[in-house]
Amino acid sequence: MNITLPPTLDRIVKEKVKSGLYSSETELVCEALRHEFERDTVSEWVRTQAANGFAQLDSGECAVMTRESLLERLASRQAAKK
């Protein structure tokens, strides 16, 4: 596969490789693509969780919590993990 980058991106890639952050242009591009795919996965998870949360709010499946009760709940979850 051959990819042609715009001059600005080409320059950035070459500078990153020259600085020693990456051993080759291929390594940098592969790393960038991996990060992009991970970000897509996380974004999809967040969208799904948000949609589920809004659906629960719309159907009344929610509880009003104070800051203190939220902190207590988080602390008890943390203690249960230990």
Side-chain angles (χ1 to χ4, degrees), residues 67-77:
R67 179 181 184 275
E68 292 76 20
S69 63
L70 176 61
L71 292 174
E72 287 173 12
R73 186 171 178 182
L74 292 172
S76 66
R77 279 185 161 186

Side-chain angles (χ1 to χ4, degrees), residues 25-44:
E25 294 164 350
T26 300
E27 180 188 6
L28 185 149
V29 171
C30 288
E31 185 69 17
L33 288 171
R34 272 192 290 277
H35 283 291
E36 180 63 23
F37 297 146
E38 288 172 9
R39 189 184 72 145
D40 286 349
T41 301
V42 170
S43 294
E44 183 57 35

Side-chain angles (χ1 to χ4, degrees), residues 33-67:
L33 288 171
R34 272 192 290 277
H35 283 291
E36 180 63 23
F37 297 146
E38 288 172 9
R39 189 184 72 145
D40 286 349
T41 301
V42 170
S43 294
E44 183 57 35
W45 180 85
V46 168
R47 277 192 290 277
T48 301
Q49 294 301 309
N52 291 340
F54 283 117
Q56 288 174 328
L57 283 172
D58 290 343
S59 68
E61 299 175 50
C62 60
V64 176
M65 296 184 77
T66 64
R67 179 181 184 275

Side-chain angles (χ1 to χ4, degrees), residues 12-25 27-28:
I12 291 169
V13 168
K14 285 182 167 79
E15 288 171 2
K16 297 278 186 186
V17 172
K18 186 178 178 180
S19 74
L21 290 172
Y22 298 91
S23 62
S24 68
E25 294 164 350
E27 180 188 6
L28 185 149

